[in-house]
Amino acid sequence: MIVKLLLLFACSRCVLTGPPNIGGIFYADDIDSKIALEVSAEKFNFTALTIEVSRRGAILEISENVCQLAEEGVIGFIDGTGGRATEHAQAICDGLELPLIVLQHNDLYSRNWSLINLYPSPLAFNMAVQELVKKYNWNNFTVLYERGHSMVKVQDLLKLSNPIELDAVSVRELRGDNYREVLINAKHSGYTNFVVDCSSNKLELVLRQAQQVGLMADGHSYIFLSPDLFSLDLTRYRYGGVNMTGFRLMDLGDVMLYNYTAQFNEASGYAIEPDNVKTKIVLIHDAVMVFANALSKVRYLRRREIEPAQLNCEYYQSWVYGSTLIDFMKTDKINGLTRSLIFDGFGQRTDVFFDIVELTPAGNQTIGKWENNKLEISRQFVSNAEIAEETIMRNKTFKVLISTTPPYGYVKESPLQLEGNDRYEGFTIDLIDKIADKLGFSYEFEVEPDYGSFNQDTKKWSGMVLKLREEKADFAICDFTITAERQSGIDFSTPFMSLGIGILYKEPSKQPPEMFSFMAVFSKEVWYYMVLVQSALGVIMIFVGRISHKEWQNPVPCIEQPEELTNQFSFANSVWLIIGSVMQQGSEIAPIALAPRIITSAWWFFTMVIVASYVGTLVAFLTVEKNVLPFSNVVELYEHKSISYGAKSKGSTKQFFKDSTNPVYQKMYQKMYSKEWLVPDNDVGVDLVEKTNYALFMESTSIEYTIERHCDLLQVGGLLDSKSYGIGMKKGSPYRFFINDALIQLKETGEIQKLKDLWWKEKRGGGKCGKKQDQEQKQLGMKNMLGAFVVLGVGCCIGLLISTLDMLWGVFKRSVKYNTTFKYELIEELKFALKFSGDIKPVKRPQRALGSAEALAEQEGKDEVKSLKSIRSGRSTDTHRTHHSHSSRHSSSGLSVAFARRREYT
């Protein structure tokens, strides 16, 4: 008996030390979840033990099965049921201290529970959906929720329902399996935006019934909270124009997802793609990964193998490692198939990474992401091939209204009898052809000259607008201006051309140059500065010449010791030097000292630049004949008494003047209307402009076209307004989205600009006039000549600095030589220089009575500082002299004072 007990104990130990058991709670018909658990358990070295619940609400059945697996020894449970079943399973697991991982949202969630929920928390959904609603600028929307849900995932949206942020938020419950009545009521209420919160197995039913009641067309938008939306086949909804947005938890670029999908397909016999795998199947893999990661951490912490315990619910037993395992599961961060697995203190997954996915005609497109509680939209470009591959417009034929207004539409010139669309050509003809190539449809043209307007008396529309509203045509493409009035009756595509109203007028006759046009080369400012600079430079040259010692020259070279020195820089000579340089004739006056030479060189450079600039521009001013316009803007045109003006009698240009609040424009309209200056079409107006004194208001694109073919016409002034051309279609057209997308692509690739250049500048006489040159020459202002003035100023400053230093050096030598103060000599020198009179300067020397002339000349000729000491001592250092002055018997100090007292300037 003892031996049998020992064998039984050994066998139980072998079982317990094998792969750990992990329990799964699923409904009996949930076969895919059970296969996913087995595949994941095998991958992470677990043994899967599954509980099958026969029906919903079988509480006693769940309780018995959980306790049964606890007795078999499991380390935790993965619950795939939800609802009340989760509540009872969690109550048992709390008592046994066994971890429980939940795979789906549970409205019965309580913060007191110790479970782990891998499904994104309601907080994450609230933040993400709220940001999406704001991003889409929804002013009103309807929340559709499945019966039994508490709307906890969209409760923040209800707080937006206030007059400041939104017009209205409607909440509607989806009951049973028939939602048509609820959806029809939402449609009749005018709602086009919907937030749908329902379980994954109800998604297809909601989509199908929404399509049946007409809520899956262009203009309808949806945000689905279920992350399984894009695992469905949405092909039937791709081409209706509906905007459908949802979330995706998996990263389709993860290799691990492809491997797991292959293992699941092998075990189940399916052949599904990774992007079609249900979120619950992927969460089972991540749940087992969380168990495996936490168990390895506990083993590392305990330094030994962790054995599951066989627990009995009746005895209220608990697993000793259970709470530790739960703590590791909540605190560790790992990356699974649904990206980062991070939990808060209550086991909820609040920090979630979502892909924001949108349904387009080209398929499911990732347009952004939700990461770190922030929404980032980065809409991907859908290629032309993908859009044109299959759309709701493909293989259909549409009636397109056109106008034969050049260059938008012409009747083709051909010797053959043409039929159908071949009869027409032009800019908009080519444009609709390119759009049709992209979207794969056909079209038939119908000419309609009346673009359409609203008659306030009859309350009826006319022309193209009327035909589009009555669905007698599908599109209207021409120079169809987008106006507020027309937008109230029809829809327009995104603009394909922007323009404004301009003034077309004939070129005025050429005017010959004026008598004194040679003075117009420089602006008045330049002439004023040149006169000022020449006057100032004359004064500077006189001053610098008077303080520069080398400029004082011996007037009689044959006399070695002259009594007086002369200076060439009188006012007349300075002005003559300046004027001679300007006239490029030179002058006999030539500076000798360094400072005057620097200033003169700077002046010569200045005159070289000025003269070269003047001569280079003078020819154009003497030969070019200028256009003299009688007006330059619309106000001057209104004030002009001899020029008539008008616009096309039917069109947006006339309407602009009629509806304008500008008093000048209103008066112009009244004058145009009363004097019958309005014209039936632009061709008549252009003819009047050429032959009479008439100005025509036209749209700028038409003016560009006209002046390329009528060389004597031009545009005067700027644009009076800003407007755009678009393709017209009926209100709520399901094709607007596709037309807009194609137009944007044609703009981005430059195709529309190429068509404009073709029909404006090449076809039908385009390019006849070439590029018109503005022959009026621009005056040279101070900004053009500033550099020359700066060079002159710098040269004058350098010359003044050098001459000042030269003067100071001479003053210092004389003060040492004659034993006087520096201040005294400086004042005397400045008095003479600043008189600006007299060009004769006496040589400074003592009288003959005080010494011989030879001795004084000897002393006066010694300019070096090193010889000054000998003068002070009264001795001559010249060994070649054999006689000495009588004044040598006197003291040097007395002699210097006597000299200083007798020196005067004439």
Side-chain angles (χ1 to χ4, degrees), residues 270-285:
Y270 297 151
I272 59 177
E273 295 296 328
D275 54 345
N276 297 126
V277 178
K278 298 291 184 182
T279 303
K280 185 177 181 180
I281 303 301
V282 180
L283 289 178
I284 291 175
H285 171 277

PDB file of all heavy atoms in Angstrom, residues 270-285:
ATOM      1  N   TYR A 270      -7.576  27.042 -42.162  1.00  0.00           N
ATOM      2  CA  TYR A 270      -7.979  28.269 -42.852  1.00  0.00           C
ATOM      3  C   TYR A 270      -6.856  28.740 -43.775  1.00  0.00           C
ATOM      4  O   TYR A 270      -5.741  28.206 -43.746  1.00  0.00           O
ATOM      5  CB  TYR A 270      -8.307  29.381 -41.856  1.00  0.00           C
ATOM      6  CG  TYR A 270      -9.480  29.071 -40.940  1.00  0.00           C
ATOM      7  CD1 TYR A 270      -9.562  29.617 -39.653  1.00  0.00           C
ATOM      8  CD2 TYR A 270     -10.517  28.250 -41.355  1.00  0.00           C
ATOM      9  CE1 TYR A 270     -10.618  29.348 -38.820  1.00  0.00           C
ATOM     10  CE2 TYR A 270     -11.594  27.966 -40.520  1.00  0.00           C
ATOM     11  CZ  TYR A 270     -11.632  28.514 -39.256  1.00  0.00           C
ATOM     12  OH  TYR A 270     -12.676  28.238 -38.426  1.00  0.00           O
ATOM     13  N   ALA A 271      -7.179  29.785 -44.554  1.00  0.00           N
ATOM     14  CA  ALA A 271      -6.169  30.421 -45.410  1.00  0.00           C
ATOM     15  C   ALA A 271      -6.352  31.938 -45.351  1.00  0.00           C
ATOM     16  O   ALA A 271      -6.419  32.620 -46.367  1.00  0.00           O
ATOM     17  CB  ALA A 271      -6.291  29.922 -46.842  1.00  0.00           C
ATOM     18  N   ILE A 272      -6.447  32.452 -44.140  1.00  0.00           N
ATOM     19  CA  ILE A 272      -6.691  33.889 -43.970  1.00  0.00           C
ATOM     20  C   ILE A 272      -5.375  34.651 -44.003  1.00  0.00           C
ATOM     21  O   ILE A 272      -4.309  34.104 -43.699  1.00  0.00           O
ATOM     22  CB  ILE A 272      -7.438  34.164 -42.647  1.00  0.00           C
ATOM     23  CG1 ILE A 272      -6.625  33.649 -41.444  1.00  0.00           C
ATOM     24  CG2 ILE A 272      -8.807  33.524 -42.661  1.00  0.00           C
ATOM     25  CD1 ILE A 272      -7.266  33.960 -40.116  1.00  0.00           C
ATOM     26  N   GLU A 273      -5.477  35.923 -44.379  1.00  0.00           N
ATOM     27  CA  GLU A 273      -4.317  36.814 -44.421  1.00  0.00           C
ATOM     28  C   GLU A 273      -4.176  37.530 -43.076  1.00  0.00           C
ATOM     29  O   GLU A 273      -5.142  37.644 -42.313  1.00  0.00           O
ATOM     30  CB  GLU A 273      -4.476  37.845 -45.544  1.00  0.00           C
ATOM     31  CG  GLU A 273      -4.496  37.249 -46.940  1.00  0.00           C
ATOM     32  CD  GLU A 273      -3.182  36.578 -47.298  1.00  0.00           C
ATOM     33  OE1 GLU A 273      -2.122  37.055 -46.813  1.00  0.00           O
ATOM     34  OE2 GLU A 273      -3.215  35.591 -48.059  1.00  0.00           O
ATOM     35  N   PRO A 274      -2.979  38.021 -42.763  1.00  0.00           N
ATOM     36  CA  PRO A 274      -2.780  38.690 -41.467  1.00  0.00           C
ATOM     37  C   PRO A 274      -3.723  39.862 -41.236  1.00  0.00           C
ATOM     38  O   PRO A 274      -4.135  40.109 -40.099  1.00  0.00           O
ATOM     39  CB  PRO A 274      -1.318  39.155 -41.539  1.00  0.00           C
ATOM     40  CG  PRO A 274      -0.669  38.194 -42.474  1.00  0.00           C
ATOM     41  CD  PRO A 274      -1.710  37.864 -43.504  1.00  0.00           C
ATOM     42  N   ASP A 275      -4.096  40.615 -42.309  1.00  0.00           N
ATOM     43  CA  ASP A 275      -4.978  41.763 -42.100  1.00  0.00           C
ATOM     44  C   ASP A 275      -6.437  41.358 -41.934  1.00  0.00           C
ATOM     45  O   ASP A 275      -7.284  42.226 -41.676  1.00  0.00           O
ATOM     46  CB  ASP A 275      -4.848  42.755 -43.254  1.00  0.00           C
ATOM     47  CG  ASP A 275      -5.068  42.101 -44.610  1.00  0.00           C
ATOM     48  OD1 ASP A 275      -5.039  40.863 -44.676  1.00  0.00           O
ATOM     49  OD2 ASP A 275      -5.268  42.826 -45.603  1.00  0.00           O
ATOM     50  N   ASN A 276      -6.741  40.072 -42.079  1.00  0.00           N
ATOM     51  CA  ASN A 276      -8.109  39.591 -41.862  1.00  0.00           C
ATOM     52  C   ASN A 276      -8.266  38.810 -40.566  1.00  0.00           C
ATOM     53  O   ASN A 276      -9.352  38.286 -40.285  1.00  0.00           O
ATOM     54  CB  ASN A 276      -8.548  38.706 -43.035  1.00  0.00           C
ATOM     55  CG  ASN A 276      -8.585  39.460 -44.352  1.00  0.00           C
ATOM     56  OD1 ASN A 276      -7.984  39.055 -45.330  1.00  0.00           O
ATOM     57  ND2 ASN A 276      -9.292  40.595 -44.366  1.00  0.00           N
ATOM     58  N   VAL A 277      -7.215  38.718 -39.774  1.00  0.00           N
ATOM     59  CA  VAL A 277      -7.283  37.994 -38.501  1.00  0.00           C
ATOM     60  C   VAL A 277      -8.070  38.820 -37.496  1.00  0.00           C
ATOM     61  O   VAL A 277      -7.859  40.039 -37.366  1.00  0.00           O
ATOM     62  CB  VAL A 277      -5.865  37.708 -37.968  1.00  0.00           C
ATOM     63  CG1 VAL A 277      -5.940  36.993 -36.619  1.00  0.00           C
ATOM     64  CG2 VAL A 277      -5.090  36.862 -38.967  1.00  0.00           C
ATOM     65  N   LYS A 278      -8.968  38.188 -36.771  1.00  0.00           N
ATOM     66  CA  LYS A 278      -9.757  38.873 -35.764  1.00  0.00           C
ATOM     67  C   LYS A 278      -8.867  39.314 -34.595  1.00  0.00           C
ATOM     68  O   LYS A 278      -7.886  38.655 -34.252  1.00  0.00           O
ATOM     69  CB  LYS A 278     -10.871  37.964 -35.245  1.00  0.00           C
ATOM     70  CG  LYS A 278     -11.873  37.532 -36.301  1.00  0.00           C
ATOM     71  CD  LYS A 278     -12.727  38.703 -36.768  1.00  0.00           C
ATOM     72  CE  LYS A 278     -13.807  38.240 -37.752  1.00  0.00           C
ATOM     73  NZ  LYS A 278     -14.616  39.346 -38.254  1.00  0.00           N
ATOM     74  N   THR A 279      -9.243  40.434 -34.011  1.00  0.00           N
ATOM     75  CA  THR A 279      -8.447  40.988 -32.908  1.00  0.00           C
ATOM     76  C   THR A 279      -8.399  40.024 -31.724  1.00  0.00           C
ATOM     77  O   THR A 279      -7.357  39.885 -31.064  1.00  0.00           O
ATOM     78  CB  THR A 279      -9.050  42.335 -32.464  1.00  0.00           C
ATOM     79  OG1 THR A 279      -9.106  43.224 -33.586  1.00  0.00           O
ATOM     80  CG2 THR A 279      -8.235  42.957 -31.363  1.00  0.00           C
ATOM     81  N   LYS A 280      -9.485  39.329 -31.473  1.00  0.00           N
ATOM     82  CA  LYS A 280      -9.534  38.402 -30.330  1.00  0.00           C
ATOM     83  C   LYS A 280      -8.505  37.288 -30.486  1.00  0.00           C
ATOM     84  O   LYS A 280      -7.857  36.879 -29.516  1.00  0.00           O
ATOM     85  CB  LYS A 280     -10.941  37.833 -30.211  1.00  0.00           C
ATOM     86  CG  LYS A 280     -11.158  36.960 -28.993  1.00  0.00           C
ATOM     87  CD  LYS A 280     -12.616  36.503 -28.938  1.00  0.00           C
ATOM     88  CE  LYS A 280     -12.868  35.631 -27.714  1.00  0.00           C
ATOM     89  NZ  LYS A 280     -14.282  35.178 -27.659  1.00  0.00           N
ATOM     90  N   ILE A 281      -8.315  36.804 -31.699  1.00  0.00           N
ATOM     91  CA  ILE A 281      -7.352  35.733 -31.954  1.00  0.00           C
ATOM     92  C   ILE A 281      -5.931  36.210 -31.652  1.00  0.00           C
ATOM     93  O   ILE A 281      -5.115  35.489 -31.073  1.00  0.00           O
ATOM     94  CB  ILE A 281      -7.472  35.253 -33.417  1.00  0.00           C
ATOM     95  CG1 ILE A 281      -8.902  34.791 -33.722  1.00  0.00           C
ATOM     96  CG2 ILE A 281      -6.472  34.161 -33.711  1.00  0.00           C
ATOM     97  CD1 ILE A 281      -9.377  33.670 -32.841  1.00  0.00           C
ATOM     98  N   VAL A 282      -5.657  37.445 -32.024  1.00  0.00           N
ATOM     99  CA  VAL A 282      -4.322  38.003 -31.788  1.00  0.00           C
ATOM    100  C   VAL A 282      -4.120  38.290 -30.305  1.00  0.00           C
ATOM    101  O   VAL A 282      -3.026  38.085 -29.759  1.00  0.00           O
ATOM    102  CB  VAL A 282      -4.132  39.287 -32.628  1.00  0.00           C
ATOM    103  CG1 VAL A 282      -2.758  39.886 -32.392  1.00  0.00           C
ATOM    104  CG2 VAL A 282      -4.315  38.984 -34.098  1.00  0.00           C
ATOM    105  N   LEU A 283      -5.169  38.741 -29.614  1.00  0.00           N
ATOM    106  CA  LEU A 283      -5.049  39.025 -28.183  1.00  0.00           C
ATOM    107  C   LEU A 283      -4.787  37.764 -27.375  1.00  0.00           C
ATOM    108  O   LEU A 283      -4.137  37.822 -26.323  1.00  0.00           O
ATOM    109  CB  LEU A 283      -6.307  39.739 -27.687  1.00  0.00           C
ATOM    110  CG  LEU A 283      -6.501  41.190 -28.163  1.00  0.00           C
ATOM    111  CD1 LEU A 283      -7.811  41.741 -27.637  1.00  0.00           C
ATOM    112  CD2 LEU A 283      -5.339  42.067 -27.712  1.00  0.00           C
ATOM    113  N   ILE A 284      -5.276  36.619 -27.833  1.00  0.00           N
ATOM    114  CA  ILE A 284      -4.988  35.356 -27.137  1.00  0.00           C
ATOM    115  C   ILE A 284      -3.490  35.080 -27.164  1.00  0.00           C
ATOM    116  O   ILE A 284      -2.885  34.679 -26.162  1.00  0.00           O
ATOM    117  CB  ILE A 284      -5.790  34.204 -27.776  1.00  0.00           C
ATOM    118  CG1 ILE A 284      -7.282  34.369 -27.482  1.00  0.00           C
ATOM    119  CG2 ILE A 284      -5.290  32.848 -27.291  1.00  0.00           C
ATOM    120  CD1 ILE A 284      -8.173  33.358 -28.176  1.00  0.00           C
ATOM    121  N   HIS A 285      -2.873  35.311 -28.335  1.00  0.00           N
ATOM    122  CA  HIS A 285      -1.420  35.141 -28.424  1.00  0.00           C
ATOM    123  C   HIS A 285      -0.709  36.056 -27.430  1.00  0.00           C
ATOM    124  O   HIS A 285       0.205  35.638 -26.709  1.00  0.00           O
ATOM    125  CB  HIS A 285      -0.970  35.454 -29.852  1.00  0.00           C
ATOM    126  CG  HIS A 285       0.521  35.523 -30.016  1.00  0.00           C
ATOM    127  ND1 HIS A 285       1.236  36.665 -29.722  1.00  0.00           N
ATOM    128  CD2 HIS A 285       1.429  34.602 -30.432  1.00  0.00           C
ATOM    129  CE1 HIS A 285       2.519  36.452 -29.939  1.00  0.00           C
ATOM    130  NE2 HIS A 285       2.663  35.204 -30.392  1.00  0.00           N
TER     131      HIS A 285
END
